[in-house]
Structure formats: structure tokens, C-alpha cells
Amino acid sequence: MQFSGGMRKKLRLGGDQRKASYPHSLQFYLEPPSENISLIEFESLAIDRVKLLKAVENLGVSYVKGIEPYQSKLENEIRRLKFSFRESLEDEYEPRRKDHISHFILRLAYCQSEDLRRWFIQQEMDLLRFRFSILPKDKIRNFLKDSHLQFEAISDDEKSLREQEILASSPSLCGSKLDLDSESVYKIPFADALDLFRGRKVYLEGGFAYVPLRDIVAIVLNEFRAKLSKALALTARSLPAVQSDERLQPLLNHLSHSYTGQDYSIQKNAGKISLDQIDSLSTKSFPPCMRQLHKALRENHHLRHGGRMQYGLFLKGIGLTLEQALQFWKQEFIRGKMDPDKFDKGYAYNIRHSFGKEGKRTDYTPFSCLKIILTNPPGQGDYHGCPFRHSDPELLKQKLQSYKISPAGINQILDLVKGTHYQVACQKYFEMIHNVDDCGFSLNHPNQFFFESQRILNGSKDIRKESIQPETPQPKPSVQKTKDASSALAYLNSSLEMDMEGLEDYFSE
């Protein structure tokens, strides 16, 4: 893919050539684009792709993936941004071309760090899952073949021989022999079907998994993730050659740094939280992951490294200064009979390091929900991680009961957790403790949880005003829940529009 400064004349292809270029509305992006495009188009395609992936992310943490509201809203967003999504639509060449080129542009922007790669892979997988879910059955076989997924469909005789086992092992068939008779079943190596095996949703025999066509999406997504992960690693190796082009480097950096969500590294509230407020704030405005870390720290007067990193960076993000952080951790550890000198020698350095004052002077950012859910799972004696992802369901139920969540609310949350919708479960918890029907935002960061909570509880008031005027009654959330939800939604929409306007202004300079 090459770039020119001005507008270019588009290459015109005949009908058969256009169809051959992009035979499907979805793809594995196996071949990079080879045509010349202008920098103007490069910028436009990049902006629209980022908007699409942000919409995928926001919908994924607001709705259960695959249900009707999620499907319809995502389809509307894809239509609005003019990307490809349905196989049956006429003249899909331009939307499919846009999808192809924009994907490879964002590979350049999002291959630069582990966090960026993780975010990009997750959103691209969710987008592929949606497109695959609406792909007509008669097109699936051709798509698998074009994606180099040579899965072998078993004969009718083989299917009849294993009929009872396949029906019993595949919940998606609902035990219906009629469904199985009309469905192709693929014989796939066991190692390629680990997700289905882990969920006990597939029949295994002789080292092979027998997968009905309707369950093949799990295999497709695994293959896509593996190929995209490898491709991003290779892209990262060749990135210095791209970064040497002074036209592209600032554009790619601006894309990657601005739109994976706010990182809360800039301390707008630095010094506005006092140490004696933390206990009170932990019960009212901390997400469950930080609430359990605070409780464990107060009870044990110590946290292991994973907990200190997760909780320490969260406290930094909500406004604790370096001096306050040193005081907070030292006071707590000394209560656990630790010698002050040992703290100064063994722990103070790490706290200063996290604020960018030691070592390579990196100003570390608070962990996002995605990072907490996907990396460094807690072991025995650890308290970090995501309670919705890493806690035993019975322990999670007890924890929610101690937080005064209603039995009906607990059941809703546990159902979401069972479906692996961890961020949606946390968002539901937020709505319940603040007594709002719709929080009006897509939750993807613990610090976002805190600031949205404070905005609802205190309105536009400064956080510190709580300690200055403790007698001032707070408006009851139940009275203002409709107003709060609508104002939150308005705030989110205006913020997103400002972000995208800023990106477009940057590119137009």
C-alpha cells in the first residue's frame, strides 16, 4: 500500500473483477492491499475504522453480545459508517474495500504495545462474530474455504452413526434430530476446538471434535485470533520502516493514543482526595475489584504485588498524589507490624516508580477492565483481578449480599457472569447501587466507575467538598435516577463527538 499527497484517481474494475476482489462481506485479512491511496483517504478510512471499533466496544459492554438490541444497534452503526456487513447487498465493492484497507491501517497503529494489540484483537473478533452470525448458511462453506480453513464435513452415514452422541453433546441443537439432519457436521482436530471442549459443548472421539455448522464460529474466532495476533507481531517488527515516514508517524501515534479509551494517567483531581475519605469512598464509589482490594488491605495490612499494582494505580488515577500514596501505604503496612525502614527500602521505591519518579521514568496508567480481566489472574492469597471473572459464583453471591444487592439483582448479575459478560455485570452492579435504570455509559475502566459514581452522587461538586460540608444532604439517587441517566448519556455522546472532532481536526491540519 503506497500513499500520495493529493487526491488520486480510483482504479476502476469490472463487475467480475470487483466481485473476485472481495467475495464475502467478512474476511480474515490474509492479503494486504496493494493499490495506491492518497493520504486524505488514508486518514478518512482510519477515522471511520476507529469509530466502528469504538462502537463495537461500547455496545459490547452495554448489551449481551448476540441478543437483538446488540445486533440491531451494531448493524445500524455499520450502515452509518458505510462498512460491509451483509452478503446479499448489491454493489458491496466499496464498503468491502473500505473494510479491507482500514483494517490494515489500524494494524499499523495498534501493533505498538501489548495493550493496544489486545484491544484491537478483541474488537476485531467481536466484529467478525457479528458478521459471521448473519452470514447465510449456504455462504459459510465458501467463506471457510476462502479463509484457508479446510474443515472436513462428515458423510451422512458417519453422522447417523454418531447421531445420539452429537445431539447429547451439542446444546445448540437442542436435542433435535431434525436440526441435525439438516446441519453439516465438521470433523476438526481436538486442539482447534478447545473453547467448545472447555464449555462441554462438543462431542470428542479419537482426537477429533464433531462440530455442527452452527457452532463453527468458536473455531473460526480462534483461528482469526491466532492469525491476527501473529500478524500484529510481524507488523510491529517492521514498524520502524513505517515510522521513518514523517507523514504517517504522527497520524498513527494520534490514532493509537487517543481512542482505546481514557487511560486516566493525567491526574485532573490530584490532591483533591484526602486519605481519611478513602474508607467512605470505597463503599460508595469503588468498583467491586477495588472495593475488595481495599477491604483486604485494611484487614491484612498487606497486599501482594499484583494487588498493590492494581489498587495503587487506581488510587493514583482518582487523585492521590505521590506523597499521599507513600503515606497511605506506609501507615497500613506498619499496622501489619512491618518495620518502617523495611518499607522505605523495599516498597517506597516501587510506589515512586509507578508515578514515573524512578527507573525509566514511565508514568504508569491505571489498569483498564480489559487488562484486569485478561491478564495476571489471581492465585491463592491474592485479591487482585475482577470479582466477576475470577471469583467462585457462590463467593461472588455472598459478596453481593454483603453489598446489600437485592436477591433479584444478584440473580441478574450471576446470569451475566455465567454468560461471561463480566463488564455488563459490573455495569449492572453500578446501576443497582446508584438506583438508576440506565447508567448512560459503557463501562470499561475502574476509574470511570469511580468518576461516574461521584458525578451522580455529588452532581458537579468537587470531590473534596464532601469533607468540607458533611452535613449537606445529598440528593437521593432514586429521585433523580431518570435525570442522572439521561445526563450521563448526553455527557458520553458529547464527549465522544468532541473526541472524534478533535481527531478529524488533527488530520485536517
Side-chain angles (χ1 to χ4, degrees), residues 261-307:
Q262 188 174 345
D263 63 12
Y264 298 94
S265 59
I266 300 174
Q267 288 188 282
K268 296 179 181 178
N269 293 299
K272 294 184 179 181
I273 298 285
S274 62
L275 295 183
D276 58 7
Q277 283 180 278
I278 294 179
D279 285 334
S280 172
L281 290 171
S282 71
T283 60
K284 294 189 301 183
S285 294
F286 281 17
C289 56
M290 302 305 168
R291 188 170 178 176
Q292 81 174 7
L293 281 166
H294 181 76
K295 183 173 184 288
L297 179 62
R298 289 301 198 208
E299 290 178 352
N300 304 322
H301 312 296
H302 188 270
L303 285 176
R304 291 183 176 179
H305 177 73

Side-chain angles (χ1 to χ4, degrees), residues 171-205:
S172 62
L173 294 172
C174 303
S176 169
K177 183 179 183 302
L178 189 62
D179 283 353
L180 181 60
D181 289 342
S182 62
E183 188 100 351
S184 296
V185 175
Y186 290 86
K187 184 179 179 181
I188 295 171
F190 161 71
D192 292 336
L194 290 179
D195 280 357
L196 290 173
F197 170 69
R198 194 177 294 118
R200 299 183 178 183
K201 297 177 180 178
V202 69
Y203 172 61
L204 300 178
E205 181 185 317

Side-chain angles (χ1 to χ4, degrees), residues 308-493:
R308 295 198 304 273
M309 281 293 293
Q310 182 175 316
Y311 189 41
L313 291 174
F314 169 79
L315 292 175
K316 172 189 172 186
I318 69 173
L320 250 61
T321 64
L322 173 57
E323 292 72 21
Q324 286 178 311
L326 287 167
Q327 181 184 350
F328 172 76
W329 289 101
K330 187 172 185 176
Q331 285 178 348
E332 200 59 49
F333 275 42
I334 289 174
R335 288 194 183 105
K337 311 304 181 186
M338 178 179 287
D339 184 83
D341 288 340
K342 182 179 178 181
F343 178 88
D344 292 337
K345 292 176 182 177
Y347 296 90
Y349 175 88
N350 289 335
I351 295 171
R352 291 195 299 271
H353 190 274
S354 69
F355 277 78
K357 304 301 182 185
E358 299 285 359
K360 57 183 179 179
R361 309 284 174 174
T362 299
D363 192 11
Y364 290 91
T365 60
F367 293 171
S368 67
C369 292
L370 198 61
K371 183 165 186 172
I372 292 171
I373 289 170
L374 296 179
T375 63
N376 191 24
Q380 185 70 28
D382 286 327
Y383 294 92
H384 65 274
C386 170
F388 301 106
R389 169 65 180 88
H390 298 117
S391 291
D392 176 81
E394 189 57 37
L395 292 177
L396 178 60
K397 181 178 180 180
Q398 293 174 15
K399 191 169 294 182
L400 293 172
Q401 289 171 339
S402 71
Y403 295 162
K404 304 296 190 290
I405 303 297
S406 69
I410 291 174
N411 288 335
Q412 286 185 54
I413 290 173
L414 292 178
D415 285 343
L416 290 168
V417 169
K418 187 177 180 181
T420 70
H421 307 293
Y422 309 118
Q423 288 168 261
V424 184
C426 192
Q427 190 163 307
K428 181 63 67 176
Y429 167 82
F430 180 98
E431 292 167 355
M432 289 174 180
I433 66 170
H434 293 90
N435 201 17
V436 294
D437 293 329
D438 183 356
C439 63
F441 62 88
S442 298
L443 182 64
N444 52 40
H445 205 291
N447 291 77
Q448 179 191 16
F449 185 109
F450 174 82
F451 287 118
E452 292 293 346
S453 171
Q454 284 294 296
R455 190 184 54 74
I456 288 177
L457 296 175
N458 299 337
S460 60
K461 292 189 295 180
D462 189 281
I463 296 172
R464 183 178 279 280
K465 289 185 179 179
E466 179 189 336
S467 59
I468 297 173
Q469 298 175 325
E471 280 84 23
T472 304
Q474 301 296 333
K476 293 182 180 179
S478 59
V479 176
Q480 295 198 343
K481 63 183 179 180
T482 305
K483 178 181 177 183
D484 288 333
S486 59
S487 63
L489 185 57
Y491 170 82
L492 175 69
N493 290 337

